[in-house]
Amino acid sequence: MDMPAAGLADVYRRYIACLNRQDWAALGQFVADDVVHNGRQLGLAGYREMLEQDFQQIPDLRFQIDLLVIDPPNVASRLVFHCSPKARFLGLDVNGQRVSFSENVFYAFRENRICQVWSVIDRAAIEAQLQSPLS
Amino acid sequence: MDMPAAGLADVYRRYIACLNRQDWAALGQFVADDVVHNGRQLGLAGYREMLEQDFQQIPDLRFQIDLLVIDPPNVASRLVFHCSPKARFLGLDVNGQRVSFSENVFYAFRENRICQVWSVIDRAAIEAQLQSPLS
């Protein structure tokens, strides 16, 4: 049975808090062992590795929920980031410049764990900020 | 008062059908006069213009809903496209090649009309297909 929307919102907010404190030991409470991310079967270990790499590339990374749409078992979230990737990020030479961008991401939950993720990051927004640092 | 989720899903599906038949005279049934798209106050006329340009650039454009998450007054939709932009699209020289990509988009509705849109298109997916036509 699906969890009510309010419960799923709470689970999702606790997942985001887990990411922000880089509490990788707790990640399995929120992410399924066989999780699929953008069509790739990463599994929990691969998912954790992806997140650890994100924090390596972006030491000041912080996940911030801008808009949350909950319709169990699915969650859609608009995340916003204000951070400084230290070198190359998404194929762009950011080199420590502070950039702002969003990620529109959908999740399917199964038994309160994320089992599928479909994410699109607004890479064009980062590109535009690199071209014109004042915008 | 918010419309129930099932009603809003129906409104949204009729909006997508309206786009696919390029029924611009009916667009105002679904889109508010003061609509804002990715932070730009386009208004209904500007929004229509944007869509007309999309169909000019992509004659075989077809909006297809892959995943719909409804939480009134908000809707999140993952759209998939299989189409052939005839020249340049999103700054990429597609030149008639058939490409597949998705758009993760959030909408805020007010009185059954879209008043805000936050859209991210997976431009990187198109880029990857242009680099390696066999993928």
Side-chain angles (χ1 to χ4, degrees), chain A residues 9 11 17 25 35 38 45 65 71 73 80 93 106 108 111 115 117 126:
Chain A
V11 169
V35 64
N38 284 353
I65 301 167
D71 184 6
V80 291
D93 290 312
F106 290 77
E111 291 162 6
C115 60
V117 183
I126 304 173

Side-chain angles (χ1 to χ4, degrees), chain B:
Chain B
M1 207 182 87
D2 288 339
M3 176 174 262
L8 194 52
D10 182 58
V11 168
Y12 183 71
R13 287 182 198 282
R14 287 193 287 119
Y15 161 70
I16 291 295
C18 170
L19 302 190
N20 281 330
R21 63 174 193 272
Q22 300 179 53
D23 183 1
W24 307 130
L27 191 66
Q29 294 173 26
F30 304 102
V31 177
D33 287 341
D34 58 350
V35 64
V36 174
H37 182 278
N38 283 352
R40 288 191 308 148
Q41 174 109 35
L42 290 185
L44 178 57
Y47 198 86
R48 171 182 173 158
E49 210 172 291
M50 174 185 73
L51 287 163
E52 285 182 314
Q53 274 177 16
D54 288 341
F55 278 96
Q56 270 158 27
Q57 290 185 330
I58 314 172
D60 63 350
L61 180 60
R62 196 178 161 73
F63 291 76
Q64 201 180 313
I65 301 167
D66 190 39
L67 183 62
L68 200 53
V69 182
I70 309 259
D71 184 7
N74 297 320
V75 169
S77 177
R78 180 163 168 93
L79 300 169
V80 290
F81 301 93
H82 309 283
C83 59
S84 314
K86 61 185 180 186
R88 226 173 147 68
F89 176 58
L90 302 174
L92 299 169
D93 289 312
V94 183
N95 293 329
Q97 188 179 315
R98 191 168 169 84
V99 289
S100 296
F101 59 94
S102 53
E103 175 181 359
N104 286 4
V105 53
F106 290 77
Y107 307 84
F109 278 75
R110 195 186 57 222
E111 291 164 7
N112 285 329
R113 286 193 174 82
I114 296 165
C115 60
Q116 282 228 59
V117 183
W118 299 267
S119 152
V120 184
I121 294 174
D122 193 355
R123 187 178 172 280
I126 305 173
E127 225 169 333
Q129 289 163 69
L130 298 180
Q131 281 159 11
S132 102
L134 294 175
S135 73

